Amino acid sequence: MTTQAPTNGSGRSPTVPALQTFVKETGGWVASQLEACTRCGICAEACHFYQATGNPEYAPVWKIELLRRAYEQRFTIGGRLRLAAGLAKPISDADLAHWSTLVYEACTMCNKCAIACPMGIQIGPLIHEVRSAMSEAGVVPPELMAAVNKQMAEGSPLGMTDSVWDSRLEWVADEWEEEIPRDVQGADTLVVFSSIEVMKFPGNVAAIAKIMNAAGEKWTVSSEAREIVNFGFYEGNEHRTVEILKRVFDGAVALGVKRIVVTECGHAYDALRWTAANLMDVPVGIEVTHIAGVLGDFVRQGRIKLKAGAFDNDGVITFHDACKIQRRGGHINEPREILKILAPNAFKEMSPNREQAICCCGGGVIAIKEADPQRYAVFQMKVDQARKVGAQTVTMTCSNCRLQFTDGVAHFGLDLKVTGLAQMVADALVE
Amino acid sequence: MNWTSFLEFTRGPLFYAALLIFIAGMVYRLVRVIALGWARDRVKSRGSKLGGAVRSLLKGFLIWPFIPWVKNTFSRSPLIYVAGGLFHLGLFVVIFLGAAHMLVWKSLLGFGWPTLPLPIVDWLAVVAIAAMIVLFINRLVHPVLKLISGPAEWLNLVFVFLPMISGYILTHHLFFRYETAYSLHMLAVDWLLIWIPLSRISHFMFYFFAKAIHGAQFGKRAVAP
Ligand code: HEM
Ligand code: SF4
Ligand code: SF4
């Protein structure tokens, strides 16, 4: 683990902008939660990073330590007195560098800690506030910053440029013989994929296209709003988050669609569905939803028919809850309803599951090489849970998790099949 | 000054002054946090924020926050749940259901309520005192707690411990003359009242904020808080 982080290159100490951000973000929402913390340490045991490594610095409450210090030293009498008397340490450049590695390399924003905390403190979102300060101060891991810059310049952190997008989509449509409507004015639904799907899981793109077509949905993709991933949000930079969100909303407005369907990216769904309206003026009358919810609706409304028991004969299948789509997105029931049709006997739940599931450790840290040791350590816990129910296949609704699973399975040489729910649904469609 | 007049002072003027500081301090803390401003949440809900908040408060309050609602959390920190829960239970029973304390409430509020028999209150007090010692030792040895504890965390436990132990000594007429023990107990209580608004023991007030926020955030996404 490195504690070295770049400074913002302005010659000014990074603590100044960091503190300004802390102060700006400290509304009652943040303050009342910081005040409620009894420093009991229970959240530590909820965090997969702590569970896997036993490193006390990975306790969620410790990751927001700088936010607490900044808040107390600025807004509370006791904190100010202690600072003046030299009893409290002001935040230093070295602190920022150190906490930068903690909040970027040892947190996936899964918010499991929030449900374990006896006070119910939303530590995940508070860590996002710490990231905002890091971003303002320019103390972001270089690898992440490079990906952010790439997305700002090229539209995608994975290098999905105009020509790559064109050729990739054409190839998918050809290879799977599926129609993918592009830039259709007046379509009802704009589907925005993540570049992970387009570049690494093209089968998922084809599967979603097949399902949309089968359901008779008037849908389209947009060459303007073609990347759902939001690395500005991941970084915690409000300005860049909004700029990337705007690309998606502008594309949707230009086509006149009624809803945006976010596909398989957790951070993107969090940004677009649960954060955008508080950061910017979002276009009215455009609903934002997730493909997991759409699949559920299609099945409930009978718009697609699935072959019952289609996956009942390939050994035990288990479902991995993606933090940002299930616990923090709310689409907990739909995948289960579908799996009960597809594999009524073979589907087994891991424990814990649903909103209490543990993160697979893909979410974000997979983009930072330095985080590899803890990422693999956590993944092993997840695999153990799958093993416990005898799973031969694990399915999910997030391509970022899927990237983590495919990478982890290869890294450990495991005999575990990794697939996506959309792909299973597409394979089980009855015309 | 003899102990009798010192006792008069600690349960008279000092107590009322401490009570005033406690109330004024807590009101200040509350107003300060509320005045920091609350941005309006403009995100469209999927579920009910109010429903989530109510559920979260009921879950946390009627049955207490020391129920490990989340799978595997209890087995990972049983000490904090058991000792923390017993400590708070003992504390609340002693403060509200002990006969002597009820009389104090009666003199302050003008009405009283039924209390528990002394032996029960007495045992819970012992349990609470023991639990506090366990919590203190746990804080000394647990790597995470060691890391996140500053002087304030140690002092919190000490300053709640003092009224409990002196109250126990007082009811059992141990070591000191009655007036001396009583004075020491009142001194510890007065100091705790002053200390609470200066410290994190004020968590019992912000607990309601945090739990409500938690419930609203989960309810908004139609997820069980
Ligand atoms: C609504 C009322 C309250 C709630 C929900 C509550 C909840 C909690 C929780 C969840 C903890 C952390 C677990 C633990 O370390 O034991 C805690 C710790 C603590 N509470 Fe409370 N509490 C309340 C009232 C009080 C009151 C009135 C006092 C004292 C006058 C108090 C004193 C303490 C102390 C000293 C600790 C720290 C224990 C330690 O260091 O381990 N609490 N409380
Ligand atoms: S579990 Fe909650 S109250 Fe306890 S230390 Fe963690 S954040 Fe603070
Ligand atoms: S949000 Fe998840 S990863 Fe981050 S501190 Fe909490 S439990 Fe750990």
Side-chain angles (χ1 to χ4, degrees):
Chain A
M1 204 174 52
T2 62
T3 46
Q4 202 59 45
T7 56
N8 54 356
S10 65
R12 186 166 63 147
S13 160
T15 48
V16 177
L19 281 173
Q20 280 163 355
T21 308
F22 279 138
V23 169
K24 190 179 83 202
E25 319 243 305
T26 313
W29 190 83
V30 170
S32 61
Q33 296 191 83
L34 291 173
E35 295 278 9
C37 174
T38 62
R39 309 187 81 63
C40 67
I42 286 177
C43 48
E45 302 290 356
C47 181
H48 45 282
F49 286 98
Y50 178 77
Q51 284 179 19
T53 63
N55 180 352
E57 289 216 278
Y58 290 169
V61 58
W62 186 245
K63 295 174 200 165
I64 56 170
E65 174 74 4
L66 288 191
L67 182 59
R68 178 189 71 89
R69 263 159 64 183
Y71 163 71
E72 286 187 349
Q73 293 171 9
R74 170 70 182 77
F75 290 110
T76 69
I77 296 179
R80 282 171 154 179
L81 287 178
R82 280 196 296 277
L83 187 66
L87 293 172
K89 277 188 296 177
I91 294 168
S92 68
D93 291 3
D95 289 336
L96 286 184
H98 182 64
W99 262 273
S100 168
T101 62
L102 286 180
V103 298
Y104 285 109
E105 293 171 19
C107 179
T108 49
M109 300 277 144
C110 74
N111 217 20
K112 166 98 187 226
C113 41
I115 57 170
C117 169
M119 313 305 266
I121 297 166
Q122 303 293 298
I123 312 167
L126 292 180
I127 292 175
H128 187 85
E129 307 295 346
V130 181
R131 285 189 179 180
S132 296
M134 294 297 167
S135 155
E136 219 40 62
V139 197
V140 179
E143 216 174 338
L144 171 59
M145 213 48 232
V148 174
N149 289 335
K150 194 162 171 175
Q151 173 160 25
M152 296 320 290
E154 295 177 3
S156 159
L158 283 190
M160 194 172 67
T161 55
D162 286 337
S163 61
V164 173
W165 162 257
D166 270 340
S167 58
R168 224 34 212 172
L169 271 204
E170 249 160 57
W171 173 74
V172 172
D174 263 12
E175 182 75 18
W176 277 270
E177 295 181 10
E178 213 43 72
E179 199 198 328
I180 303 181
R182 290 165 67 171
D183 299 307
V184 180
Q185 275 294 334
D188 289 336
T189 296
L190 168 66
V191 176
V192 193
F193 290 100
S194 100
S195 50
I196 302 179
E197 293 168 278
V198 178
M199 307 299 282
K200 306 206 159 146
F201 303 113
N204 220 52
V205 176
I208 289 172
K210 186 174 171 187
I211 296 164
M212 288 288 163
N213 292 334
E217 184 78 14
K218 275 167 60 190
W219 73 291
T220 182
V221 296
S222 154
S223 39
E224 200 187 326
R226 60 167 184 252
E227 170 65 290
I228 201 72
V229 168
N230 194 326
F231 265 51
F233 187 64
Y234 174 7
E235 181 202 349
N237 183 295
E238 187 173 322
H239 171 74
R240 285 189 275 271
T241 304
V242 169
E243 197 171 316
I244 296 169
L245 284 170
K246 248 176 90 59
R247 290 175 189 170
V248 176
F249 283 124
D250 287 351
V253 170
L255 292 175
V257 297
K258 296 196 190 75
R259 68 166 170 177
I260 300 171
V261 171
V262 179
T263 66
E264 306 199 346
C265 176
H267 259 68
Y269 189 51
D270 195 352
L272 217 72
R273 176 65 180 86
W274 303 112
T275 313
N278 288 335
L279 295 183
M280 61 192 286
D281 288 323
V282 298
V284 278
I286 298 185
E287 183 201 355
V288 176
T289 180
H290 191 266
I291 186 70
V294 173
L295 291 181
D297 290 345
F298 282 173
V299 171
R300 283 174 196 162
Q301 295 158 1
R303 287 177 61 184
I304 54 175
K305 289 256 172 315
L306 304 181
K307 183 164 171 266
F311 288 88
D312 243 353
N313 304 317
D314 308 325
V316 172
I317 298 176
T318 193
F319 178 72
H320 162 65
D321 288 278
C323 311
K324 294 281 194 112
I325 293 163
Q326 272 79 39
R327 174 167 46 249
R328 297 193 65 187
H331 298 289
I332 293 178
N333 293 326
E334 295 95 330
R336 286 162 168 98
E337 288 168 21
I338 291 171
L339 282 167
K340 275 175 194 150
I341 300 174
L342 296 180
N345 300 312
F347 171 50
K348 296 235 154 47
E349 291 272 18
M350 285 183 269
S351 165
N353 54 46
R354 301 174 65 92
E355 69 274 6
Q356 299 192 3
I358 68 158
C359 177
C360 67
C361 214
V365 293
I366 197 164
I368 304 174
K369 259 246 131 352
E370 263 77 41
D372 274 359
Q374 56 265 35
R375 178 163 71 82
Y376 286 127
V378 171
F379 183 69
Q380 222 155 11
M381 297 197 307
K382 194 81 215 186
V383 168
D384 287 346
Q385 291 181 357
R387 286 264 180 273
K388 245 191 210 133
V389 296
Q392 267 140 306
T393 305
V394 53
T395 187
M396 57 208 75
T397 58
C398 176
S399 66
N400 203 53
C401 297
R402 193 163 164 194
L403 198 59
Q404 163 77 342
F405 270 85
T406 29
D407 178 71
V409 162
H411 178 84
F412 291 112
L414 303 172
D415 179 25
L416 182 68
K417 196 173 152 222
V418 181
T419 184
L421 188 67
Q423 225 152 328
M424 292 174 70
V425 168
D427 289 345
L429 280 179
V430 231
E431 308 298 325
Chain B
M1 196 161 83
N2 60 29
W3 283 109
T4 315
S5 54
F6 187 59
L7 176 60
E8 283 314 309
F9 172 67
T10 51
R11 50 180 299 203
L14 189 60
F15 176 67
Y16 289 107
L19 206 58
L20 217 65
I21 293 175
F22 169 76
I23 294 170
M26 291 308 277
V27 169
Y28 171 80
R29 294 278 300 273
L30 190 65
V31 170
R32 188 80 182 89
V33 164
I34 292 174
L36 283 173
W38 297 71
R40 205 165 71 85
D41 185 3
R42 296 192 291 169
V43 173
K44 229 175 84 195
S45 297
R46 235 185 124 224
S48 160
K49 282 168 94 168
L50 184 66
V54 168
R55 239 179 111 175
S56 161
L57 282 169
L58 287 181
K59 212 168 145 181
F61 203 65
L62 281 189
I63 326 180
W64 224 233
F66 297 96
I67 307 281
W69 294 102
V70 181
K71 240 185 142 105
N72 299 343
T73 39
F74 180 76
S75 57
R76 287 173 183 279
S77 15
L79 254 176
I80 304 177
Y81 280 103
V82 174
L86 289 176
F87 153 56
H88 282 81
L89 177 73
L91 187 75
F92 277 66
V93 166
V94 168
I95 295 178
F96 294 107
L97 298 177
H101 288 146
M102 190 276 283
L103 292 177
V104 179
W105 287 110
K106 197 172 174 179
S107 78
L108 287 172
L109 302 172
F111 58 89
W113 48 77
T115 53
L116 285 176
L118 184 63
I120 297 183
V121 178
D122 206 36
W123 269 109
L124 282 170
V126 173
V127 167
I129 289 168
M132 291 184 74
I133 295 170
V134 170
L135 286 172
F136 195 90
I137 295 172
N138 192 39
R139 237 179 228 288
L140 276 174
V141 297
H142 192 294
V144 171
L145 291 175
K146 259 193 335 209
L147 181 68
I148 63 177
S149 302
E153 277 66 43
W154 303 108
L155 292 177
N156 283 345
L157 272 171
V158 171
F159 291 157
V160 181
F161 186 77
L162 290 178
M164 292 294 278
I165 194 78
S166 60
Y168 189 82
I169 291 172
L170 175 65
T171 37
H172 290 266
H173 308 287
L174 303 171
F175 312 126
F176 302 101
R177 271 184 49 217
Y178 179 75
E179 285 80 17
T180 317
Y182 201 168
S183 307
L184 292 177
H185 178 60
M186 284 315 297
L187 206 56
V189 170
D190 296 344
W191 172 243
L192 180 62
L193 283 174
I194 296 170
W195 175 253
I196 288 175
L198 298 175
S199 72
R200 251 157 213 289
I201 301 183
S202 53
H203 62 271
F204 62 83
M205 185 165 72
F206 294 106
Y207 166 79
F208 298 95
F209 286 80
K211 269 281 174 198
I213 290 173
H214 176 81
Q217 287 301 313
F218 277 64
K220 176 165 133 184
R221 294 161 165 82
V223 176

